[in-house]
Amino acid sequence: MTPYEIVSIAIATLAFALSLYSAINTYYEKHIKTRVYLRWTYELGQQLNICLLVSNMSSRPSTITNIYFTNEDETVESSWFPVKLISQTRFNNDKVFVFSDCTPLNIPPRSSKTFVISFQNLRSTNIISDKMRFKFKIDNAQNIMEFHPKVVKLSNLLCK
C-alpha cells in the first residue's frame, strides 16, 4: 500500500466518524423531551390557577395542546380562553386586568416560558392536595405528571 492510499483511507475514516457523531448529535437534539414544572398553585372557589414553567431544549418548537387536571372523581380541561384572574390591579395609576393563558401553548426551540393556566367549574371542595395529577398533550403525545404543589396566598399575587 502506498502512502497516498493510507492517507486517503485515514481521511475517509475520520470523515465517517465525524459524520456519524454529527448524525447522532442531531438526532439527540431533535428528540429532547419538553419538561414541565409546577411553580405555584392558587385556589379561588371552584377555580384552580397554576403557574407552569415549560422548558423546551429541543432544536424543534414544541406545542402543548391540552392540559387536564385530575382530581378525586373528576377530570377538568384547562380553559380554552383567557380567564380574568383578579378583578384589577394598579400599575402607574392605570387599571390593569390580569388574565390567564390558554391552550395551545407554543414554546420556541431551546427556550423556557412561564404560563398561568386556569381550571374552572371544579366540583370538589378539596382541590389542592399533597400530589396533584395533570395530563398534558405535548406534541401529540400524552404525558401524565404528578407534582407536589406550592400554595400561594392572595396577598402575594396582588401587585401593590
Side-chain angles (χ1 to χ4, degrees), residues 21-99:
Y21 172 76
S22 176
I24 291 171
N25 198 21
T26 302
Y27 178 82
Y28 173 74
E29 282 187 6
K30 279 186 178 179
H31 293 87
I32 295 175
K33 299 284 185 203
T34 301
R35 295 183 182 227
V36 179
Y37 304 97
L38 181 65
R39 305 230 14 231
W40 53 260
T41 60
Y42 179 71
E43 178 182 348
L44 181 65
Q46 292 181 324
Q47 179 174 317
L48 174 67
N49 302 323
I50 63 171
C51 180
L52 298 175
L53 174 65
V54 183
S55 176
N56 177 24
M57 292 299 126
S58 172
S59 60
R60 298 183 301 178
S62 182
T63 302
I64 299 177
T65 52
N66 297 90
I67 303 173
Y68 297 94
F69 169 61
T70 303
N71 205 358
E72 299 164 347
D73 59 342
E74 64 182 333
T75 300
V76 180
E77 188 173 5
S78 65
S79 63
W80 288 10
F81 51 88
V83 175
K84 191 185 298 185
L85 297 179
I86 56 177
S87 60
Q88 63 188 7
T89 184
R90 294 220 176 258
F91 183 72
N92 292 336
N93 290 330
D94 293 333
K95 290 182 182 179
V96 178
F97 295 99
V98 180
F99 293 93

Side-chain angles (χ1 to χ4, degrees), residues 114-139:
T114 301
F115 300 99
V116 176
I117 304 297
S118 184
F119 298 90
Q120 293 186 313
N121 302 323
L122 297 168
R123 289 179 297 183
S124 179
T125 55
N126 186 17
I127 297 173
I128 298 177
S129 59
D130 290 339
K131 275 190 178 179
M132 298 179 76
R133 175 178 275 181
F134 294 93
K135 185 173 17 172
F136 299 94
K137 188 171 182 183
I138 304 173
D139 298 329

